[in-house]
């Protein structure tokens, strides 16, 4: 259930929604962090659900001491109205037995909100790639039929590779077995995509093959690919690194404890 933090319900009609899947390396969440921080997006509400492990913490995008003491929750919604962009940041793992319920909740909210399209940022285990998936860059995409109708030309211009379907039994070819969509380490990515196809929702998945570790470079790679498509930033900027790193990234590897916690 979406709960607004404003006096009136925000309108998302015609907005693009960007959200991460909780997946290997947390690449999607890190990429979303860069978007929220760089665009200085406004928090407009949160999603209240028992499907996520409950947690709370300080403001990950704090710019001053007063901001740092704001309380933040596991699933929050941010907007940049001038770009018609909304972001759902998910900061906690999904309760294992409630994965399907969480997907249904998300899709119900997406439909009710009137988003024009949804982009899911995700990742998958690099070591489980099929031979054909070793070719080209580590970026792959998926798009539902309803979004393909309006975005086919743009995706073709970008030259991205669609996520390959793989054999159900690697190394064996069986004429009776259809290749399947397999996203190991991708969390709810596959379920969200297949549900959106069934419900005729305009949704795309951008995912990166990666390994667990320092996934900051992967986040920059993913968000740059997203920017090539959505044009969130000026691509002609003279600055080599146009993305603003949020202060919470100082704590990614456990370096220090924020005083505001106490």
């Amino acid at each position: 259930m979406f709960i607004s933090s404003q006096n009136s319900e925000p309108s998302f009609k015609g907005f693009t929604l960007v959200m991460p899947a909780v997946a290997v390396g947390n690449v999607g969440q890190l990429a979303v962090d860069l978007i929220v921080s760089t665009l200085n997006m406004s928090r407009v509400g949160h999603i209240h659900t028992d499907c996520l492990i409950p947690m709370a913490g300080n403001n990950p995008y704090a710019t001053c001491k007063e901001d740092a003491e704001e309380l933040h929750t596991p699933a929050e919604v941010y907007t940049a109205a001038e770009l018609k962009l909304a972001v759902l940041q998910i900061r906690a793992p999904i309760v294992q037995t409630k994965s399907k319920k969480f997907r249904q909740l998300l899709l119900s909210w997406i439909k009710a909100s009137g988003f024009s399209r949804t982009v899911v940022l995700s990742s998958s285990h690099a070591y489980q790639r099929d031979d054909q998936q070793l070719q080209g860059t580590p970026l792959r995409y998926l798009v539902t039929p309803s979004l393909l109708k309006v975005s086919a030309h743009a995706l073709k211009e970008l030259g991205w590779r669609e996520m390959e379907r793989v054999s159900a039994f690697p190394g064996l070819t069986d004429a009776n077995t259809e290749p399947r969509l397999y996203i190991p380490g991708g969390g709810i990515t596959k379920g969200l995509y297949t549900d959106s196809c069934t419900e005729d929702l305009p949704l795309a998945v951008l995912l990166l093959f990666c390994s667990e570790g320092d996934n900051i470079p992967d986040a920059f790679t993913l968000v740059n690919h997203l920017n090539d498509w959505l044009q969130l930033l000026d691509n002609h900027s003279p600055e080599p690194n146009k993305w603003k790193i949020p202060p919470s990234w100082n704590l990614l590897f456990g370096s220090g404890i924020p005083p505001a916690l106490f």
Side-chain angles (χ1 to χ4, degrees):
M1 180 169 79
F2 175 75
I3 299 175
S4 173
S5 58
Q6 302 178 327
N7 294 330
S8 58
E9 283 283 318
S11 171
F12 300 119
K13 192 78 175 169
F15 275 50
T16 294
L17 173 67
V18 176
M19 60 166 285
V22 181
V24 54
N26 295 328
V27 178
Q29 287 101 320
L30 293 172
V32 167
D33 270 350
L34 290 170
I35 296 168
V36 175
S37 184
T38 304
L39 299 179
N40 196 24
M41 298 179 79
S42 305
R43 181 171 56 161
V44 294
H46 67 278
I47 290 182
H48 180 71
T49 174
D50 63 355
C51 298
L52 296 173
I53 292 174
M55 56 162 280
N58 302 115
N59 183 1
Y61 312 116
T63 53
C64 61
K65 187 180 177 183
E66 289 72 24
D67 287 349
E69 293 173 2
E70 288 179 2
L71 192 65
H72 283 246
T73 56
E76 296 185 317
V77 181
Y78 298 81
T79 62
E82 67 281 4
L83 294 173
K84 287 217 147 195
L85 178 73
V87 158
L88 167 63
Q89 177 62 299
I90 301 172
R91 299 191 181 93
I94 300 164
V95 176
Q96 200 168 8
T97 56
K98 295 183 178 180
S99 175
K100 185 176 181 181
K101 180 183 174 184
F102 186 59
R103 294 200 318 262
Q104 291 170 339
L105 181 148
L106 283 176
L107 294 178
S108 296
W109 175 63
I110 288 167
K111 283 193 281 190
S113 299
F115 291 110
S116 62
R117 60 186 171 183
T118 300
V119 182
V120 179
L121 302 180
S122 186
S123 48
S124 183
H125 284 300
Y127 74 89
Q128 289 193 257
R129 279 181 290 182
D130 186 78
D131 284 354
Q132 61 183 330
Q133 294 172 336
L134 292 168
Q135 301 173 19
T137 71
L139 179 87
R140 292 294 185 274
Y141 80 92
L142 290 163
V143 62
T144 61
S146 61
L147 184 56
L148 186 62
K149 289 175 189 173
V150 293
S151 299
H153 179 71
L155 292 169
K156 187 178 178 181
E157 289 278 309
L158 289 163
W160 293 342
R161 290 177 72 102
E162 189 173 2
M163 184 68 171
E164 298 91 345
R165 269 64 175 175
V166 299
S167 170
F169 304 101
L172 297 175
T173 52
D174 184 347
N176 298 320
T177 306
E178 285 286 321
R180 60 173 181 157
L181 182 61
Y182 183 50
I183 308 177
I188 64 169
T189 305
K190 179 185 172 183
L192 209 53
Y193 170 73
T194 52
D195 289 350
S196 297
C197 288
T198 303
E199 299 192 30
D200 201 32
L201 277 174
L203 179 139
V205 173
L206 256 61
L207 70 83
L208 213 63
F209 292 118
C210 70
S211 302
E212 289 279 6
D214 181 357
N215 295 102
I216 288 174
D218 298 316
F220 277 106
T221 299
L222 189 58
V223 80
N224 280 325
H225 281 300
L226 179 72
N227 188 53
D228 288 341
W229 180 22
L230 300 187
Q231 301 290 304
L232 303 175
L233 299 182
D234 178 11
N235 283 330
H236 304 292
S237 169
E239 297 175 31
N241 182 12
K242 43 194 181 282
W243 299 102
K244 180 183 172 187
I245 294 174
S248 55
W249 280 23
N250 294 328
L251 307 171
L252 280 181
F253 301 104
S255 52
I257 299 169
L261 195 63
F262 306 100

